[in-house]
Amino acid sequence: SITPVGLERVELAVLLFSKGYFDAIISSGGNTSREIPEKIEAKIMSSFLERKGVPQQKIILEYKSKNTLQNALYSKDIVEKKGFRKILVITSDFHMERALMIFRNMFPPEKGYYVKGAESKTSFLTEEIKNHEIKDYSRDKLMVDAINKLEE
């Protein structure tokens, strides 16, 4: 089943899709559970999206990623193949800064991309979630900086 954080994100995606903000949804996320190998986040989110009225042909699955950096990396193949230029990253409010840093780096404006964020309000932000996000932001920032240096 979908996590409470995932539910908030997917409900926002359904709302924005129904209002015509975008034509397709990349449901991104692989297995992040060692205990339940068949738990694929993209498939769980996709099922919810379909139940809420998003047509299956409008949902594109990316199910290899295990973290935000991989979400962007593996979604890039899809974005390039489909010719998308505008990307709306839907994630939680506490996660938006890190997600946008990664996606804007992966899809830079000088290559014709436009990346914007839409955040779901997290109703139960714990200290554990905040601390995890701070740690992951620092790690991902170092990785993004290293990638940029390699490309110079």
Side-chain angles (χ1 to χ4, degrees):
S1 69
I2 196 163
T3 66
V5 170
L7 181 62
E8 291 170 338
R9 293 173 180 181
V10 175
E11 285 177 336
L12 178 59
V14 169
L15 174 69
L16 296 176
F17 181 83
S18 70
K19 292 184 178 217
Y21 281 85
F22 40 83
D23 297 325
I25 297 173
I26 299 175
S27 183
S28 179
N31 177 283
T32 57
S33 169
R34 291 182 185 153
E35 297 81 37
I36 312 169
E38 66 278 0
K39 183 180 177 184
I40 307 293
E41 290 179 0
K43 291 180 181 179
I44 293 168
M45 290 185 291
S46 175
S47 294
F48 184 87
L49 290 165
E50 286 181 58
R51 283 195 309 273
K52 292 295 183 176
V54 177
Q56 182 181 19
Q57 65 270 22
K58 297 291 185 174
I59 303 168
I60 305 163
L61 295 179
E62 179 290 295
Y63 48 84
K64 295 184 288 186
S65 60
K66 299 194 183 300
N67 57 50
T68 308
L69 197 56
Q70 289 179 357
N71 290 138
L73 180 66
Y74 296 136
S75 292
K76 187 172 185 175
D77 291 338
I78 296 167
V79 166
E80 288 175 347
K81 284 178 187 164
K82 296 285 185 179
F84 298 148
R85 301 320 274 163
K86 295 180 182 176
I87 300 159
L88 182 63
V89 177
I90 298 175
T91 192
S92 304
D93 50 3
F94 67 87
H95 181 61
M96 185 57 72
E97 184 179 357
R98 180 164 64 101
L100 284 179
M101 172 194 62
I102 291 168
F103 274 81
R104 286 181 174 150
N105 195 288
M106 193 69 62
F107 301 98
E110 57 271 11
K111 292 193 177 176
Y113 293 105
Y114 175 74
V115 178
K116 191 169 165 78
E119 58 188 39
S120 61
K121 195 75 175 154
T122 304
S123 52
F124 56 91
L125 189 58
T126 65
E127 281 302 311
E128 181 183 356
I129 291 173
K130 282 194 257 185
N131 290 336
H132 181 76
E133 186 63 21
I134 290 167
K135 179 183 70 97
D136 285 355
Y137 182 92
S138 298
R139 179 204 62 216
D140 290 348
K141 177 79 171 104
L142 289 171
M143 292 179 81
V144 165
D145 289 348
I147 290 167
N148 286 337
K149 284 184 180 168
L150 287 173
E151 291 178 351
E152 290 176 354

